[in-house]
Amino acid sequence: MRGRGLKIRMPSIGNDLVKQDFSPPNMDDIQRWMAAAFDLATEALENGEVPVGCLMVYRNEVLGKGGNEVNDTKNATRHAEMVAFDHVVEWCCSRDLNLNQVCAQTTLYVTVEPCIMCSSALRLLNIPLIVYGCRNERFGGCGSVLSIASDDELLTGSSFKCISGYQAEEAVEMLKRFYKQENPNAPKCKVRKV
Amino acid sequence: MEPLPKRRKGMDEGVDSWEVHPILSDEQSHDIKLVEAFAAPIINKKETSRLLKDLATTYPLPGLQHIKRVRARKSDKHPHPLEVVICLVDGAPEVKDSKEVSLTTLLPSESFNSSGLGEPFTVKIPAHPSLTRPQFEQASVHWPTTFHEDKQVTAALRGQLFTAAQKAKMHKYMMTAIRAAKAGQEQGMVPVGAVMVDPASDQILATAHDCARGTHPLLHAVMVCIDLVAHGQGGGAYDFDPFPACQFTVPDRQPVEGSSDSVAPGSTQEQRGEPYLCTGYDLYVTREPCIMCAMSLLHSRIGRVFYGTTTRDGALGTRYKIHTQKELNHHFEVYRGVTQHLCEDLAEEPH
């Protein structure tokens, strides 16, 4: 089962945050990585999960990727981004690299605007930039419901930049397809449908 | 501010050493807002009901349904015992100076029979309905309003929501969270502890502490607790073996009336008496959750959250009130102050 039983290790993560030179992606990069993110979203949809897919890219290398795994793990926090973050942490840990330094040069590519939880996690990891498809009207943390991404008054973590709107219609279409289905795990609605 | 009472340090502090404070929405905790309106005395009481009917047509006051149109002036200082709201100053026609307004500018005599009314004056009236008793009492000073009291909120504000027996339970659960926080601290973690309880069965389903430092920066105590609950339901994403104080229990199956062991295929989890995420559960956490953790609890459909002490960027009262955010699809109750002093003793700078 994907994502099950992730081992916790004790790597050496330094506390010094050094934001090194970070070159933002060009249009070719964005197209390539977003296409891969959409493949992961499709995979999530086929697994009966909310169709969101994402990649974490560091110096042209994919460190982490993920699709939503909420139903599989019975854990509502297992969004695509959270799954991908685990891979980045493991990647750094297994190479004994400083997580903060790696994250400071990592871009997240995700099909849907990160929710408030994931936006807050992106701050905690000090990710400088994200690229996303459609807005997340229900839970979005990069402007739709709250602006966690750019809240300068928050002392926790650091704010990050967003490039938005990439293949937005396609991302919305996938979400619509998902929400037409029923959630087999959700408790039955108290109001009887006639 | 009253000076803080002297207190003893240590684990022997009892239920009487702390109080539960509800964390209400901004709309509930704000001072009331006022808007300027024109009112006039009713000189001829016999005209009252006709005037009210005609005013309701001419100036219906949309959005001010909570305002009682007429107020009684009982004191002897007022020559006329009744006064009536005519319209908002903003809604009045061509009034250059609100001090020099006359009845005929507000109610032109060709369209409105204003007999029985005295000369208008300005008054401040509450702009919104009162949500709490303190707001209602504040509003009543200015102009009478209706009030649909939420008895639970009033009881909570008076500190009467929980009985001594319920407080004793809260104390017990938070002490478990504190012990977990200390166990985590001994393994080099930030001392934060969390306990998930099913209030229907009084069962502790998960006990967790922060596992972030040096392992995974997102494994805050609440995130660990949510994953442990998932483990208890046959899921889960992380392996917490290196942290023996992080534990979970498989919930007792709630017997559902009319159900047997042979469950029809296609029945929902609830029909089978199985839990769904953290629906209806109570979380006890030693300090106020951050945004990530607060939103995780919302995604998990938490029932209530009790925390000991506030945090700088806290998202359940201090910096945000995620639990009352109107746009979000789930809302929950939050209370601060359970074993507050003991939790303050644990607190370190937030990471």
Side-chain angles (χ1 to χ4, degrees):
Chain A
M1 237 181 279
R2 276 185 313 139
R4 188 65 50 84
L6 194 80
K7 281 280 174 193
I8 294 168
R9 272 170 293 180
M10 298 277 217
S12 57
I13 299 174
N15 284 323
D16 55 317
L17 173 68
V18 186
K19 282 214 173 178
Q20 293 164 4
D21 293 331
F22 171 71
S23 49
N26 59 36
M27 204 54 209
D28 284 349
D29 293 335
I30 291 179
Q31 267 176 3
R32 181 162 49 124
W33 301 127
M34 284 303 280
F38 272 97
D39 288 345
L40 289 161
T42 308
E43 208 178 295
L45 184 66
E46 283 162 4
N47 293 331
E49 303 275 358
V50 178
V52 183
C54 75
L55 268 75
M56 307 277 289
V57 180
Y58 166 76
R59 293 179 174 169
N60 240 359
E61 187 181 346
V62 177
L63 302 195
K65 57 182 183 176
N68 194 298
E69 293 180 359
V70 167
N71 288 333
D72 182 34
T73 57
K74 298 178 189 293
N75 177 336
T77 73
R78 300 304 290 165
H79 289 187
E81 297 93 326
M82 303 299 271
V83 173
F85 297 156
D86 288 347
H87 297 162
V88 175
V89 171
E90 289 237 318
W91 189 90
C92 288
C93 172
S94 62
R95 285 161 184 77
D96 211 13
L97 287 172
N98 182 306
L99 179 70
N100 286 331
Q101 287 183 10
V102 170
C103 282
Q105 297 181 63
T106 296
T107 303
L108 168 78
Y109 297 87
V110 58
T111 55
V112 181
E113 175 190 350
C115 78
I116 292 163
M117 171 188 76
C118 293
S119 301
S120 174
L122 283 160
R123 284 188 73 105
L124 290 169
L125 293 172
N126 298 301
I127 303 286
L129 176 71
I130 73 165
V131 180
Y132 69 81
C134 67
R135 283 162 59 90
N136 182 344
E137 302 289 353
R138 289 185 173 197
F139 304 117
C142 307
S144 292
V145 178
L146 293 178
S147 300
I148 305 301
S150 58
D151 185 344
D152 290 331
E153 282 176 48
L154 280 179
L155 301 166
T156 319
S158 49
S159 58
F160 56 90
K161 298 242 173 335
C162 303
I163 300 173
S164 64
Y166 188 84
Q167 275 182 275
E169 293 87 7
E170 189 183 336
V172 170
E173 218 32 64
M174 290 180 82
L175 288 173
K176 278 187 184 162
R177 267 173 65 196
F178 176 80
Y179 284 111
K180 267 183 209 157
Q181 310 162 3
E182 267 199 30
N183 178 359
N185 292 329
K188 232 206 179 98
C189 188
K190 294 260 160 38
V191 184
R192 195 177 285 272
K193 282 180 193 145
V194 184
Chain B
M1 280 286 279
E2 280 175 58
L4 286 171
K6 277 184 188 164
R7 63 187 182 88
R8 288 173 300 168
K9 273 203 167 190
M11 300 292 269
D12 56 344
E13 285 194 47
V15 176
D16 296 334
S17 67
W18 52 271
E19 274 177 47
V20 201
H21 304 278
I23 309 293
L24 303 177
S25 67
D26 286 346
E27 290 78 9
Q28 289 172 312
S29 38
H30 275 167
D31 283 345
I32 59 154
K33 285 195 188 100
L34 298 168
V35 280
E36 280 217 311
F38 290 116
I42 296 176
I43 295 164
N44 183 355
K45 270 177 84 173
K46 285 180 185 158
E47 297 278 359
T48 304
S49 65
R50 183 196 58 81
L51 284 166
L52 278 175
K53 214 176 109 205
D54 291 354
L55 277 171
T57 315
T58 313
Y59 293 114
L61 303 183
L64 292 169
Q65 284 87 351
H66 58 284
I67 296 291
K68 292 189 179 172
R69 199 111 195 189
V70 177
R71 77 167 164 191
R73 294 302 243 171
K74 285 185 189 120
S75 111
D76 299 336
K77 278 181 282 179
H78 300 274
H80 306 292
L82 292 178
E83 290 170 353
V84 64
V85 174
I86 297 172
C87 63
L88 289 180
V89 169
D90 273 353
E94 292 189 39
V95 178
K96 286 194 191 78
D97 184 352
S98 60
K99 301 236 165 33
E100 288 174 21
V101 72
S102 70
L103 260 188
T104 42
T105 46
L106 296 179
L107 301 165
S109 49
E110 58 269 29
S111 58
F112 195 94
N113 172 11
S114 56
S115 69
L117 278 179
E119 278 308 302
F121 57 94
T122 57
V123 66
K124 287 194 166 96
I125 62 172
H128 304 291
S130 299
L131 298 168
T132 65
R133 186 153 282 278
Q135 285 181 338
F136 175 62
E137 281 161 10
Q138 220 185 346
S140 302
V141 173
H142 299 275
W143 195 272
T145 64
T146 57
F147 179 41
H148 302 287
E149 184 171 19
D150 183 332
K151 292 270 164 56
Q152 174 137 336
V153 169
T154 295
L157 285 168
R158 286 193 179 132
Q160 297 167 339
L161 191 54
F162 302 108
T163 64
Q166 285 169 321
K167 273 189 82 184
K169 271 185 197 168
M170 290 178 200
H171 195 90
K172 185 186 80 178
Y173 295 136
M174 196 62 98
M175 292 309 285
T176 306
I178 290 170
R179 280 194 296 274
K182 288 185 172 168
Q185 192 174 28
E186 277 171 25
Q187 286 188 265
M189 300 299 157
V190 181
V192 185
V195 168
M196 193 76 76
V197 177
D198 179 0
S201 62
D202 275 333
Q203 197 181 11
I204 293 184
L205 299 175
T207 307
H209 59 71
D210 178 279
C211 300
R213 196 177 271 170
T215 56
H216 188 319
L218 305 181
L219 286 179
H220 294 182
V222 171
M223 302 300 279
V224 174
C225 203
I226 288 172
D227 198 55
L228 287 166
V229 170
H231 276 277
Q233 298 173 4
Y238 298 94
D239 172 3
F240 293 105
D241 285 351
F243 304 105
C246 292
Q247 294 172 347
F248 67 88
T249 313
V250 176
D252 293 334
R253 274 180 68 157
Q254 304 277 314
V256 173
E257 234 176 284
S259 76
S260 63
D261 278 346
S262 59
V263 178
S267 60
T268 65
Q269 286 186 325
E270 198 178 52
Q271 283 170 330
R272 296 195 297 270
E274 285 173 22
Y276 176 67
L277 304 172
C278 302
T279 307
Y281 293 165
D282 289 345
L283 181 86
Y284 292 83
V285 57
T286 52
R287 72 182 193 194
E288 186 184 357
C290 72
I291 304 166
M292 173 182 70
C293 291
M295 194 61 192
S296 299
L297 291 165
L298 187 139
H299 283 315
S300 302
R301 308 296 173 114
I302 193 77
R304 297 185 295 183
V305 174
F306 299 88
Y307 64 80
T309 179
T310 56
T311 55
R312 209 173 47 175
D313 273 348
L316 298 180
T318 301
R319 183 76 186 86
Y320 287 103
K321 289 178 175 175
I322 296 279
H323 62 296
T324 67
Q325 193 81 31
K326 275 205 187 91
E327 300 87 341
L328 297 173
N329 67 342
H330 178 68
H331 303 108
F332 51 95
E333 292 172 30
V334 174
Y335 300 92
R336 168 180 66 79
V338 178
T339 72
Q340 181 172 343
H341 300 311
L342 297 176
C343 291
E344 276 167 4
D345 291 344
L346 275 180
E348 243 189 24
E349 273 303 287
H351 43 188

